[in-house]
Amino acid sequence: MTMASFTRPFIRVAAAVMLSLSAAGCANTPDGQDGAGISDPIEPVNRIIFGFNDAADTILLRPAAEVYVAVAPDPVREAVHSFIRNLVSPLVIANNLLQGDLEGAQVATGRMLTNTILGVGGLFDVASVAGMKDEEEDFGQTLGVWGLGSGPYVVLPLFGPSSVRDATGLAVDTVADPLRVWAYANDSKNVLYVRTGVSAIDRRSQVLKQVDDLKRNSLDYYAAVRSLYAQQRRAQINDNKTDAAPEFPVFGN
Amino acid sequence: MVPGAVFAQSTDPGASAFIQKLGDQTIATFADKSLSREQAVERFRALLHTGFDVPYIGRWVLGRYWNQASPAEQAEYQKLFERLIVDTYANRFVDYSGQTFKIAGTRPEAGDDTTVTTQIIRPDGPPINADWRVRKAGSGYKIIDVAVEGVSMGLTQRQEFASVIQGGGGQVAALIQALRQKVGRS
């Protein structure tokens, strides 16, 4: 705690200086607060890609996730989820460290060791039962913690909602992914394809209801997803410590 | 850290009691299997109006476009918005019945508002954090926003509605048309 609060501002300042030199062009669009807030200069293109992703989801991913939920019993799906999460835990640890969040890095390290050893190679999430919470950390969030604004919203083919900052983060995480490094070194890229597929179905299966709900209840599905994404990323970057809630004025009539 | 030092204002205990009661009533409504879906939705509509300041939320969601709308548009918008909210939340609560919740804490907000933080306990996954922004209304309370895992429902709708209006040439009429199509049936 004391260590973390000491190092964090220092790392932030150093990182902010570095980034302001290298990435001055694309930074610092404020994440949207009011109605028109989210920067989306290539909206027409984004909408086309979004439509394509949505079609791929409707035809392929959603049905696959539904079958998965119907066929695989809860414990099996939990094991798959834990296993996949455990595989990326080195990235979670690294990003916590890069964010200067030593507490987070400690928890993530504890999780990896506990689940790998006691949880039989990551199949059982023993750590969560022991109160070590699984936080998602990625390099996009790290850039955010370093003070980089999200930049314009972009919809990536198949990967879905992102931003200039988060797409950069995704590229860095992909290259740094230990499993990928291992697979390339051992000429077993098939492992990666399997992981990608399983991971996509796992993720999709966890939000079946939520996505259906959003589609059914929104007037502009694209805009609703864009808003959700921007807010969710902001909350993740702050590790759910709410900061900038929108203002709720008193309306006089 | 000195305990309590973080809170400049004291939190309002009435706000969390209000959320607790409203939550219990809502769960009871949807757990009551003797009610048909229509009856449950009707009862939920009543609860919604007890619990939420729907006109406030509607106006807030419209944001800067509120002043741009004519009085007639404002009135129709509010009527349609109310129907949208009832549909949306009723569907949500029916889908998510079987869940329970617990109050995690309260946090004072600007003005006299209080945010009541809750955890929704699900049988099939980790708990979800839901924050209810509560405003004092006369002798009681009203909810003016809900944030689920840091995502504000009001802000999401505001940004969505703004997009519809912008897509319709900046006219509030475009939003009203879209709302009519969405909730106009029956």
PDB file of all heavy atoms in Angstrom, chain A residues 193-224:
ATOM      1  N   TYR A 193      -4.886 -20.945 -32.142  1.00  0.00           N
ATOM      2  CA  TYR A 193      -6.205 -20.910 -32.782  1.00  0.00           C
ATOM      3  C   TYR A 193      -7.255 -21.501 -31.860  1.00  0.00           C
ATOM      4  O   TYR A 193      -8.353 -20.968 -31.707  1.00  0.00           O
ATOM      5  CB  TYR A 193      -6.180 -21.659 -34.121  1.00  0.00           C
ATOM      6  CG  TYR A 193      -5.180 -21.079 -35.102  1.00  0.00           C
ATOM      7  CD1 TYR A 193      -4.381 -21.900 -35.888  1.00  0.00           C
ATOM      8  CD2 TYR A 193      -5.026 -19.694 -35.230  1.00  0.00           C
ATOM      9  CE1 TYR A 193      -3.451 -21.371 -36.780  1.00  0.00           C
ATOM     10  CE2 TYR A 193      -4.105 -19.154 -36.105  1.00  0.00           C
ATOM     11  CZ  TYR A 193      -3.318 -19.994 -36.885  1.00  0.00           C
ATOM     12  OH  TYR A 193      -2.402 -19.462 -37.746  1.00  0.00           O
ATOM     13  N   VAL A 194      -6.891 -22.621 -31.229  1.00  0.00           N
ATOM     14  CA  VAL A 194      -7.829 -23.262 -30.306  1.00  0.00           C
ATOM     15  C   VAL A 194      -8.139 -22.305 -29.155  1.00  0.00           C
ATOM     16  O   VAL A 194      -9.299 -22.082 -28.804  1.00  0.00           O
ATOM     17  CB  VAL A 194      -7.250 -24.589 -29.759  1.00  0.00           C
ATOM     18  CG1 VAL A 194      -8.141 -25.146 -28.654  1.00  0.00           C
ATOM     19  CG2 VAL A 194      -7.102 -25.601 -30.886  1.00  0.00           C
ATOM     20  N   ARG A 195      -7.099 -21.706 -28.607  1.00  0.00           N
ATOM     21  CA  ARG A 195      -7.309 -20.801 -27.482  1.00  0.00           C
ATOM     22  C   ARG A 195      -8.218 -19.629 -27.881  1.00  0.00           C
ATOM     23  O   ARG A 195      -9.149 -19.258 -27.160  1.00  0.00           O
ATOM     24  CB  ARG A 195      -5.960 -20.286 -26.961  1.00  0.00           C
ATOM     25  CG  ARG A 195      -6.011 -19.732 -25.543  1.00  0.00           C
ATOM     26  CD  ARG A 195      -6.054 -18.221 -25.434  1.00  0.00           C
ATOM     27  NE  ARG A 195      -5.051 -17.544 -26.213  1.00  0.00           N
ATOM     28  CZ  ARG A 195      -3.984 -16.950 -25.710  1.00  0.00           C
ATOM     29  NH1 ARG A 195      -3.775 -16.974 -24.425  1.00  0.00           N
ATOM     30  NH2 ARG A 195      -3.141 -16.319 -26.498  1.00  0.00           N
ATOM     31  N   THR A 196      -7.938 -19.059 -29.051  1.00  0.00           N
ATOM     32  CA  THR A 196      -8.744 -17.932 -29.516  1.00  0.00           C
ATOM     33  C   THR A 196     -10.212 -18.324 -29.641  1.00  0.00           C
ATOM     34  O   THR A 196     -11.102 -17.609 -29.182  1.00  0.00           O
ATOM     35  CB  THR A 196      -8.225 -17.428 -30.881  1.00  0.00           C
ATOM     36  OG1 THR A 196      -6.835 -17.133 -30.747  1.00  0.00           O
ATOM     37  CG2 THR A 196      -8.973 -16.194 -31.330  1.00  0.00           C
ATOM     38  N   GLY A 197     -10.456 -19.480 -30.238  1.00  0.00           N
ATOM     39  CA  GLY A 197     -11.831 -19.942 -30.431  1.00  0.00           C
ATOM     40  C   GLY A 197     -12.536 -20.190 -29.109  1.00  0.00           C
ATOM     41  O   GLY A 197     -13.642 -19.689 -28.872  1.00  0.00           O
ATOM     42  N   VAL A 198     -11.877 -20.937 -28.254  1.00  0.00           N
ATOM     43  CA  VAL A 198     -12.478 -21.281 -26.965  1.00  0.00           C
ATOM     44  C   VAL A 198     -12.715 -20.021 -26.141  1.00  0.00           C
ATOM     45  O   VAL A 198     -13.764 -19.847 -25.523  1.00  0.00           O
ATOM     46  CB  VAL A 198     -11.575 -22.275 -26.191  1.00  0.00           C
ATOM     47  CG1 VAL A 198     -12.118 -22.509 -24.788  1.00  0.00           C
ATOM     48  CG2 VAL A 198     -11.470 -23.587 -26.938  1.00  0.00           C
ATOM     49  N   SER A 199     -11.733 -19.139 -26.184  1.00  0.00           N
ATOM     50  CA  SER A 199     -11.831 -17.910 -25.416  1.00  0.00           C
ATOM     51  C   SER A 199     -13.008 -17.054 -25.896  1.00  0.00           C
ATOM     52  O   SER A 199     -13.748 -16.484 -25.089  1.00  0.00           O
ATOM     53  CB  SER A 199     -10.503 -17.156 -25.553  1.00  0.00           C
ATOM     54  OG  SER A 199     -10.602 -15.908 -24.979  1.00  0.00           O
ATOM     55  N   ALA A 200     -13.195 -16.986 -27.205  1.00  0.00           N
ATOM     56  CA  ALA A 200     -14.304 -16.202 -27.757  1.00  0.00           C
ATOM     57  C   ALA A 200     -15.641 -16.785 -27.308  1.00  0.00           C
ATOM     58  O   ALA A 200     -16.548 -16.050 -26.897  1.00  0.00           O
ATOM     59  CB  ALA A 200     -14.217 -16.177 -29.279  1.00  0.00           C
ATOM     60  N   ILE A 201     -15.761 -18.099 -27.373  1.00  0.00           N
ATOM     61  CA  ILE A 201     -17.019 -18.736 -26.977  1.00  0.00           C
ATOM     62  C   ILE A 201     -17.247 -18.579 -25.478  1.00  0.00           C
ATOM     63  O   ILE A 201     -18.362 -18.306 -25.026  1.00  0.00           O
ATOM     64  CB  ILE A 201     -17.026 -20.226 -27.402  1.00  0.00           C
ATOM     65  CG1 ILE A 201     -17.048 -20.307 -28.928  1.00  0.00           C
ATOM     66  CG2 ILE A 201     -18.212 -20.963 -26.812  1.00  0.00           C
ATOM     67  CD1 ILE A 201     -16.859 -21.693 -29.479  1.00  0.00           C
ATOM     68  N   ASP A 202     -16.181 -18.711 -24.708  1.00  0.00           N
ATOM     69  CA  ASP A 202     -16.285 -18.535 -23.256  1.00  0.00           C
ATOM     70  C   ASP A 202     -16.791 -17.127 -22.921  1.00  0.00           C
ATOM     71  O   ASP A 202     -17.752 -16.946 -22.176  1.00  0.00           O
ATOM     72  CB  ASP A 202     -14.910 -18.771 -22.618  1.00  0.00           C
ATOM     73  CG  ASP A 202     -14.859 -18.308 -21.161  1.00  0.00           C
ATOM     74  OD1 ASP A 202     -15.692 -18.779 -20.375  1.00  0.00           O
ATOM     75  OD2 ASP A 202     -13.997 -17.468 -20.832  1.00  0.00           O
ATOM     76  N   ARG A 203     -16.163 -16.137 -23.535  1.00  0.00           N
ATOM     77  CA  ARG A 203     -16.564 -14.750 -23.267  1.00  0.00           C
ATOM     78  C   ARG A 203     -18.007 -14.496 -23.684  1.00  0.00           C
ATOM     79  O   ARG A 203     -18.778 -13.874 -22.970  1.00  0.00           O
ATOM     80  CB  ARG A 203     -15.659 -13.782 -24.037  1.00  0.00           C
ATOM     81  CG  ARG A 203     -14.432 -13.428 -23.274  1.00  0.00           C
ATOM     82  CD  ARG A 203     -13.551 -12.478 -24.054  1.00  0.00           C
ATOM     83  NE  ARG A 203     -12.381 -12.152 -23.244  1.00  0.00           N
ATOM     84  CZ  ARG A 203     -12.311 -11.098 -22.444  1.00  0.00           C
ATOM     85  NH1 ARG A 203     -13.300 -10.241 -22.360  1.00  0.00           N
ATOM     86  NH2 ARG A 203     -11.232 -10.886 -21.715  1.00  0.00           N
ATOM     87  N   ARG A 204     -18.339 -14.982 -24.871  1.00  0.00           N
ATOM     88  CA  ARG A 204     -19.695 -14.747 -25.389  1.00  0.00           C
ATOM     89  C   ARG A 204     -20.735 -15.417 -24.517  1.00  0.00           C
ATOM     90  O   ARG A 204     -21.813 -14.869 -24.291  1.00  0.00           O
ATOM     91  CB  ARG A 204     -19.771 -15.251 -26.836  1.00  0.00           C
ATOM     92  CG  ARG A 204     -21.050 -14.896 -27.561  1.00  0.00           C
ATOM     93  CD  ARG A 204     -21.185 -13.390 -27.724  1.00  0.00           C
ATOM     94  NE  ARG A 204     -22.436 -13.022 -28.395  1.00  0.00           N
ATOM     95  CZ  ARG A 204     -23.583 -12.804 -27.761  1.00  0.00           C
ATOM     96  NH1 ARG A 204     -23.663 -12.945 -26.450  1.00  0.00           N
ATOM     97  NH2 ARG A 204     -24.671 -12.444 -28.433  1.00  0.00           N
ATOM     98  N   SER A 205     -20.420 -16.607 -24.020  1.00  0.00           N
ATOM     99  CA  SER A 205     -21.399 -17.374 -23.240  1.00  0.00           C
ATOM    100  C   SER A 205     -21.718 -16.658 -21.922  1.00  0.00           C
ATOM    101  O   SER A 205     -22.768 -16.878 -21.337  1.00  0.00           O
ATOM    102  CB  SER A 205     -20.864 -18.775 -22.942  1.00  0.00           C
ATOM    103  OG  SER A 205     -19.819 -18.715 -21.992  1.00  0.00           O
ATOM    104  N   GLN A 206     -20.814 -15.788 -21.488  1.00  0.00           N
ATOM    105  CA  GLN A 206     -21.045 -15.119 -20.211  1.00  0.00           C
ATOM    106  C   GLN A 206     -21.959 -13.902 -20.333  1.00  0.00           C
ATOM    107  O   GLN A 206     -22.391 -13.353 -19.322  1.00  0.00           O
ATOM    108  CB  GLN A 206     -19.712 -14.704 -19.602  1.00  0.00           C
ATOM    109  CG  GLN A 206     -18.841 -15.919 -19.360  1.00  0.00           C
ATOM    110  CD  GLN A 206     -17.803 -15.672 -18.301  1.00  0.00           C
ATOM    111  OE1 GLN A 206     -17.236 -14.594 -18.226  1.00  0.00           O
ATOM    112  NE2 GLN A 206     -17.557 -16.666 -17.473  1.00  0.00           N
ATOM    113  N   VAL A 207     -22.191 -13.464 -21.545  1.00  0.00           N
ATOM    114  CA  VAL A 207     -23.018 -12.260 -21.717  1.00  0.00           C
ATOM    115  C   VAL A 207     -24.199 -12.495 -22.648  1.00  0.00           C
ATOM    116  O   VAL A 207     -24.701 -11.570 -23.278  1.00  0.00           O
ATOM    117  CB  VAL A 207     -22.178 -11.059 -22.238  1.00  0.00           C
ATOM    118  CG1 VAL A 207     -21.214 -10.579 -21.165  1.00  0.00           C
ATOM    119  CG2 VAL A 207     -21.428 -11.404 -23.505  1.00  0.00           C
ATOM    120  N   LEU A 208     -24.656 -13.752 -22.730  1.00  0.00           N
ATOM    121  CA  LEU A 208     -25.767 -14.071 -23.638  1.00  0.00           C
ATOM    122  C   LEU A 208     -26.984 -13.192 -23.352  1.00  0.00           C
ATOM    123  O   LEU A 208     -27.504 -12.509 -24.222  1.00  0.00           O
ATOM    124  CB  LEU A 208     -26.133 -15.546 -23.510  1.00  0.00           C
ATOM    125  CG  LEU A 208     -25.263 -16.525 -24.299  1.00  0.00           C
ATOM    126  CD1 LEU A 208     -25.574 -17.954 -23.913  1.00  0.00           C
ATOM    127  CD2 LEU A 208     -25.444 -16.321 -25.800  1.00  0.00           C
ATOM    128  N   LYS A 209     -27.426 -13.224 -22.088  1.00  0.00           N
ATOM    129  CA  LYS A 209     -28.613 -12.456 -21.697  1.00  0.00           C
ATOM    130  C   LYS A 209     -28.406 -10.965 -21.886  1.00  0.00           C
ATOM    131  O   LYS A 209     -29.271 -10.258 -22.386  1.00  0.00           O
ATOM    132  CB  LYS A 209     -28.902 -12.705 -20.215  1.00  0.00           C
ATOM    133  CG  LYS A 209     -29.871 -13.812 -19.925  1.00  0.00           C
ATOM    134  CD  LYS A 209     -30.164 -13.785 -18.432  1.00  0.00           C
ATOM    135  CE  LYS A 209     -30.829 -15.070 -17.968  1.00  0.00           C
ATOM    136  NZ  LYS A 209     -30.886 -15.119 -16.494  1.00  0.00           N
ATOM    137  N   GLN A 210     -27.244 -10.505 -21.440  1.00  0.00           N
ATOM    138  CA  GLN A 210     -26.985  -9.064 -21.450  1.00  0.00           C
ATOM    139  C   GLN A 210     -27.021  -8.494 -22.864  1.00  0.00           C
ATOM    140  O   GLN A 210     -27.574  -7.418 -23.090  1.00  0.00           O
ATOM    141  CB  GLN A 210     -25.637  -8.746 -20.800  1.00  0.00           C
ATOM    142  CG  GLN A 210     -25.607  -8.911 -19.290  1.00  0.00           C
ATOM    143  CD  GLN A 210     -25.315 -10.339 -18.842  1.00  0.00           C
ATOM    144  OE1 GLN A 210     -25.558 -11.293 -19.584  1.00  0.00           O
ATOM    145  NE2 GLN A 210     -24.822 -10.496 -17.636  1.00  0.00           N
ATOM    146  N   VAL A 211     -26.409  -9.218 -23.807  1.00  0.00           N
ATOM    147  CA  VAL A 211     -26.369  -8.710 -25.177  1.00  0.00           C
ATOM    148  C   VAL A 211     -27.763  -8.754 -25.804  1.00  0.00           C
ATOM    149  O   VAL A 211     -28.187  -7.801 -26.470  1.00  0.00           O
ATOM    150  CB  VAL A 211     -25.342  -9.487 -26.028  1.00  0.00           C
ATOM    151  CG1 VAL A 211     -25.421  -9.068 -27.487  1.00  0.00           C
ATOM    152  CG2 VAL A 211     -23.940  -9.257 -25.497  1.00  0.00           C
ATOM    153  N   ASP A 212     -28.490  -9.837 -25.556  1.00  0.00           N
ATOM    154  CA  ASP A 212     -29.871  -9.919 -26.057  1.00  0.00           C
ATOM    155  C   ASP A 212     -30.698  -8.748 -25.535  1.00  0.00           C
ATOM    156  O   ASP A 212     -31.447  -8.102 -26.261  1.00  0.00           O
ATOM    157  CB  ASP A 212     -30.538 -11.223 -25.596  1.00  0.00           C
ATOM    158  CG  ASP A 212     -29.967 -12.434 -26.324  1.00  0.00           C
ATOM    159  OD1 ASP A 212     -29.162 -12.222 -27.258  1.00  0.00           O
ATOM    160  OD2 ASP A 212     -30.321 -13.568 -25.957  1.00  0.00           O
ATOM    161  N   ASP A 213     -30.534  -8.509 -24.237  1.00  0.00           N
ATOM    162  CA  ASP A 213     -31.245  -7.438 -23.550  1.00  0.00           C
ATOM    163  C   ASP A 213     -30.936  -6.087 -24.200  1.00  0.00           C
ATOM    164  O   ASP A 213     -31.836  -5.325 -24.546  1.00  0.00           O
ATOM    165  CB  ASP A 213     -30.770  -7.468 -22.083  1.00  0.00           C
ATOM    166  CG  ASP A 213     -31.356  -6.356 -21.232  1.00  0.00           C
ATOM    167  OD1 ASP A 213     -31.560  -5.246 -21.764  1.00  0.00           O
ATOM    168  OD2 ASP A 213     -31.595  -6.581 -20.048  1.00  0.00           O
ATOM    169  N   LEU A 214     -29.658  -5.845 -24.416  1.00  0.00           N
ATOM    170  CA  LEU A 214     -29.249  -4.557 -24.968  1.00  0.00           C
ATOM    171  C   LEU A 214     -29.801  -4.367 -26.379  1.00  0.00           C
ATOM    172  O   LEU A 214     -30.293  -3.302 -26.740  1.00  0.00           O
ATOM    173  CB  LEU A 214     -27.723  -4.478 -24.989  1.00  0.00           C
ATOM    174  CG  LEU A 214     -27.159  -3.099 -25.289  1.00  0.00           C
ATOM    175  CD1 LEU A 214     -27.475  -2.149 -24.156  1.00  0.00           C
ATOM    176  CD2 LEU A 214     -25.650  -3.169 -25.511  1.00  0.00           C
ATOM    177  N   LYS A 215     -29.734  -5.443 -27.168  1.00  0.00           N
ATOM    178  CA  LYS A 215     -30.230  -5.367 -28.540  1.00  0.00           C
ATOM    179  C   LYS A 215     -31.725  -5.077 -28.556  1.00  0.00           C
ATOM    180  O   LYS A 215     -32.208  -4.277 -29.336  1.00  0.00           O
ATOM    181  CB  LYS A 215     -30.001  -6.715 -29.238  1.00  0.00           C
ATOM    182  CG  LYS A 215     -28.772  -6.761 -30.075  1.00  0.00           C
ATOM    183  CD  LYS A 215     -28.828  -8.043 -30.900  1.00  0.00           C
ATOM    184  CE  LYS A 215     -27.672  -8.109 -31.843  1.00  0.00           C
ATOM    185  NZ  LYS A 215     -27.711  -9.303 -32.687  1.00  0.00           N
ATOM    186  N   ARG A 216     -32.431  -5.750 -27.670  1.00  0.00           N
ATOM    187  CA  ARG A 216     -33.884  -5.617 -27.646  1.00  0.00           C
ATOM    188  C   ARG A 216     -34.319  -4.250 -27.149  1.00  0.00           C
ATOM    189  O   ARG A 216     -35.287  -3.679 -27.611  1.00  0.00           O
ATOM    190  CB  ARG A 216     -34.466  -6.712 -26.740  1.00  0.00           C
ATOM    191  CG  ARG A 216     -35.981  -6.822 -26.788  1.00  0.00           C
ATOM    192  CD  ARG A 216     -36.456  -7.968 -25.933  1.00  0.00           C
ATOM    193  NE  ARG A 216     -35.900  -7.881 -24.590  1.00  0.00           N
ATOM    194  CZ  ARG A 216     -35.691  -8.931 -23.795  1.00  0.00           C
ATOM    195  NH1 ARG A 216     -35.963 -10.136 -24.201  1.00  0.00           N
ATOM    196  NH2 ARG A 216     -35.188  -8.766 -22.585  1.00  0.00           N
ATOM    197  N   ASN A 217     -33.586  -3.705 -26.192  1.00  0.00           N
ATOM    198  CA  ASN A 217     -34.055  -2.494 -25.529  1.00  0.00           C
ATOM    199  C   ASN A 217     -33.423  -1.204 -26.029  1.00  0.00           C
ATOM    200  O   ASN A 217     -33.709  -0.145 -25.505  1.00  0.00           O
ATOM    201  CB  ASN A 217     -33.821  -2.611 -24.021  1.00  0.00           C
ATOM    202  CG  ASN A 217     -34.706  -3.671 -23.400  1.00  0.00           C
ATOM    203  OD1 ASN A 217     -35.889  -3.753 -23.713  1.00  0.00           O
ATOM    204  ND2 ASN A 217     -34.143  -4.498 -22.554  1.00  0.00           N
ATOM    205  N   SER A 218     -32.553  -1.283 -27.027  1.00  0.00           N
ATOM    206  CA  SER A 218     -31.921  -0.048 -27.478  1.00  0.00           C
ATOM    207  C   SER A 218     -32.563   0.463 -28.764  1.00  0.00           C
ATOM    208  O   SER A 218     -33.076  -0.298 -29.566  1.00  0.00           O
ATOM    209  CB  SER A 218     -30.420  -0.255 -27.663  1.00  0.00           C
ATOM    210  OG  SER A 218     -30.183  -1.313 -28.554  1.00  0.00           O
ATOM    211  N   LEU A 219     -32.508   1.774 -28.924  1.00  0.00           N
ATOM    212  CA  LEU A 219     -32.994   2.399 -30.155  1.00  0.00           C
ATOM    213  C   LEU A 219     -31.895   2.402 -31.205  1.00  0.00           C
ATOM    214  O   LEU A 219     -32.148   2.353 -32.388  1.00  0.00           O
ATOM    215  CB  LEU A 219     -33.396   3.851 -29.895  1.00  0.00           C
ATOM    216  CG  LEU A 219     -34.504   4.122 -28.903  1.00  0.00           C
ATOM    217  CD1 LEU A 219     -34.694   5.621 -28.760  1.00  0.00           C
ATOM    218  CD2 LEU A 219     -35.783   3.465 -29.351  1.00  0.00           C
ATOM    219  N   ASP A 220     -30.676   2.542 -30.744  1.00  0.00           N
ATOM    220  CA  ASP A 220     -29.528   2.595 -31.636  1.00  0.00           C
ATOM    221  C   ASP A 220     -28.455   1.711 -30.999  1.00  0.00           C
ATOM    222  O   ASP A 220     -27.666   2.165 -30.170  1.00  0.00           O
ATOM    223  CB  ASP A 220     -29.048   4.053 -31.757  1.00  0.00           C
ATOM    224  CG  ASP A 220     -27.899   4.211 -32.745  1.00  0.00           C
ATOM    225  OD1 ASP A 220     -27.235   3.199 -33.067  1.00  0.00           O
ATOM    226  OD2 ASP A 220     -27.648   5.346 -33.179  1.00  0.00           O
ATOM    227  N   TYR A 221     -28.468   0.454 -31.384  1.00  0.00           N
ATOM    228  CA  TYR A 221     -27.614  -0.559 -30.773  1.00  0.00           C
ATOM    229  C   TYR A 221     -26.141  -0.138 -30.848  1.00  0.00           C
ATOM    230  O   TYR A 221     -25.400  -0.250 -29.878  1.00  0.00           O
ATOM    231  CB  TYR A 221     -27.862  -1.887 -31.496  1.00  0.00           C
ATOM    232  CG  TYR A 221     -27.093  -3.072 -30.994  1.00  0.00           C
ATOM    233  CD1 TYR A 221     -26.923  -3.319 -29.636  1.00  0.00           C
ATOM    234  CD2 TYR A 221     -26.551  -3.999 -31.890  1.00  0.00           C
ATOM    235  CE1 TYR A 221     -26.233  -4.427 -29.188  1.00  0.00           C
ATOM    236  CE2 TYR A 221     -25.862  -5.107 -31.456  1.00  0.00           C
ATOM    237  CZ  TYR A 221     -25.698  -5.319 -30.097  1.00  0.00           C
ATOM    238  OH  TYR A 221     -25.003  -6.413 -29.666  1.00  0.00           O
ATOM    239  N   TYR A 222     -25.752   0.374 -32.009  1.00  0.00           N
ATOM    240  CA  TYR A 222     -24.367   0.816 -32.194  1.00  0.00           C
ATOM    241  C   TYR A 222     -23.973   1.873 -31.155  1.00  0.00           C
ATOM    242  O   TYR A 222     -22.939   1.767 -30.496  1.00  0.00           O
ATOM    243  CB  TYR A 222     -24.188   1.364 -33.611  1.00  0.00           C
ATOM    244  CG  TYR A 222     -22.854   2.038 -33.852  1.00  0.00           C
ATOM    245  CD1 TYR A 222     -21.744   1.287 -34.218  1.00  0.00           C
ATOM    246  CD2 TYR A 222     -22.705   3.419 -33.703  1.00  0.00           C
ATOM    247  CE1 TYR A 222     -20.516   1.893 -34.433  1.00  0.00           C
ATOM    248  CE2 TYR A 222     -21.484   4.030 -33.908  1.00  0.00           C
ATOM    249  CZ  TYR A 222     -20.394   3.271 -34.273  1.00  0.00           C
ATOM    250  OH  TYR A 222     -19.187   3.873 -34.468  1.00  0.00           O
ATOM    251  N   ALA A 223     -24.828   2.894 -31.004  1.00  0.00           N
ATOM    252  CA  ALA A 223     -24.517   3.990 -30.076  1.00  0.00           C
ATOM    253  C   ALA A 223     -24.528   3.500 -28.628  1.00  0.00           C
ATOM    254  O   ALA A 223     -23.739   3.954 -27.805  1.00  0.00           O
ATOM    255  CB  ALA A 223     -25.504   5.139 -30.250  1.00  0.00           C
ATOM    256  N   ALA A 224     -25.436   2.556 -28.323  1.00  0.00           N
ATOM    257  CA  ALA A 224     -25.498   2.032 -26.963  1.00  0.00           C
ATOM    258  C   ALA A 224     -24.213   1.272 -26.631  1.00  0.00           C
ATOM    259  O   ALA A 224     -23.641   1.445 -25.552  1.00  0.00           O
ATOM    260  CB  ALA A 224     -26.711   1.126 -26.800  1.00  0.00           C
TER     261      ALA A 224
END
